[in-house]
Amino acid sequence: MPSDGEHASFELGIKFGALFHQFVGTPVSEESAASLATAIEESIENQPYTESVTVTVDREALAADIGPYGYTGLAGRHLEVEIVVEEAGTRATGTMEMVDGYPLMCLETVE
């Protein structure tokens, strides 16, 4: 059987996969960025074992991609994310941020 830390880490990966593949491509504008970040947080927080989700839209990266119609598709480069899951008293924390031009999801701590 997996340890509590392994299970918490696995659950963390599920949350990141769901977040990335569900929301990348969503139409977003500078005006809708904050409400989209909130919707992403609330959506992922519905999943089991999720303690917290913090989503920040990089407004500069977003503004650089806005097209002639006032919006763009949400991309990994627009997001900074932290997710914390708790399973049987064990917390796993992960982040997603740009690393060498790639939206990398990292396991930060298991406590």
Side-chain angles (χ1 to χ4, degrees):
M1 292 300 298
S3 70
D4 291 339
E6 290 168 332
H7 188 226
S9 298
F10 174 80
E11 288 294 335
L12 183 64
I14 296 295
K15 281 36 166 182
F16 274 112
L19 183 150
F20 191 84
H21 293 291
Q22 180 176 354
F23 290 101
V24 166
T26 300
V28 62
S29 67
E30 293 180 82
E31 293 78 21
S32 68
S35 63
L36 179 57
T38 299
I40 294 169
E41 291 170 351
E42 291 178 357
S43 174
I44 302 304
E45 286 173 348
N46 286 319
Q47 296 181 33
Y49 311 110
T50 306
E51 185 174 296
S52 65
V53 179
T54 304
V55 175
T56 303
V57 176
D58 181 334
R59 299 300 179 97
E60 288 182 28
L62 182 67
D65 291 342
I66 297 293
Y69 298 105
Y71 79 99
T72 190
L74 187 67
R77 67 183 167 279
H78 301 139
L79 297 173
E80 292 180 8
V81 181
E82 179 183 85
I83 300 175
V84 179
V85 300
E86 188 273 328
E87 165 60 18
T90 300
R91 296 174 78 215
T93 302
T95 59
M96 184 179 89
E97 57 191 42
M98 293 301 290
V99 176
D100 296 328
Y102 184 80
L104 191 62
M105 299 164 205
C106 297
L107 178 63
E108 298 292 330
T109 61
V110 178
E111 308 174 313

